[in-house]
Amino acid sequence: MSKIKIKRIYEASSNRDGYRILVDRIWPRGVSKGKAKIDSWKKEIAPSENLRKWFDHDPDRFWEFAKKYLIELEDKQEVLDKIARKAKKQNVTLLYGAKDTKHNHALVLQCVLEGRVSY
């Protein structure tokens, strides 16, 4: 079974990344489309603008943010299913731009997708 990984888009790409998906709503600063080496941009599964602004990358708000983000993802089942099907065949790397590697939406998304791949 393949693995779903997360990685900052500013990190170098690797052959082990497999299928690379940018999961931010806004294109990351300072990254050219050629350098990003993405296979897909799924901005529709990024947190809404209102949720992103409310969270404001505040670690104290992360768990509440995660709960609200999971509610938003309930309407994105088709996209999540497509990514999960791809991850059953090959590695998938979710790319994000946030500086905080321990409190970001890609972590929540990774957990959701891993649950879909394992069943």
Side-chain angles (χ1 to χ4, degrees), residues 50-90:
N50 287 340
L51 181 57
R52 183 177 53 82
K53 286 181 178 179
W54 172 84
F55 174 44
D56 197 29
H57 299 288
D58 181 348
D60 293 334
R61 291 184 174 181
F62 181 70
W63 293 112
E64 186 63 26
F65 163 78
K67 289 178 196 174
K68 292 178 179 190
Y69 182 40
L70 288 170
I71 292 168
E72 288 187 354
L73 288 174
E74 288 177 5
D75 293 338
K76 312 297 183 194
Q77 299 305 310
E78 188 176 323
V79 177
L80 297 172
D81 286 342
K82 285 181 182 179
I83 296 170
R85 283 193 300 272
K86 186 161 289 292
K88 288 181 180 182
K89 298 175 186 171
Q90 68 182 96

Side-chain angles (χ1 to χ4, degrees), residues 5 14-21 37 39 90-93:
K5 299 181 277 185
S14 163
N15 289 336
R16 291 178 282 168
D17 290 346
Y19 194 81
R20 292 169 49 92
I21 304 171
K37 296 183 181 175
D39 296 299
Q90 68 182 96
N91 287 340
V92 169
T93 299

Side-chain angles (χ1 to χ4, degrees), residues 1-2 4 84 87-88 110-119:
M1 184 180 334
S2 296
I4 296 178
K88 288 181 180 182
Q110 180 185 34
C111 289
V112 168
L113 291 167
E114 284 178 342
R116 288 170 179 263
V117 171
S118 64
Y119 69 84

Side-chain angles (χ1 to χ4, degrees), residues 8-11 26-36 97:
R8 287 194 76 222
I9 194 158
Y10 301 101
E11 296 176 48
I26 300 168
W27 189 266
R29 282 187 196 184
V31 178
S32 69
K33 294 196 179 185
K35 185 181 175 189

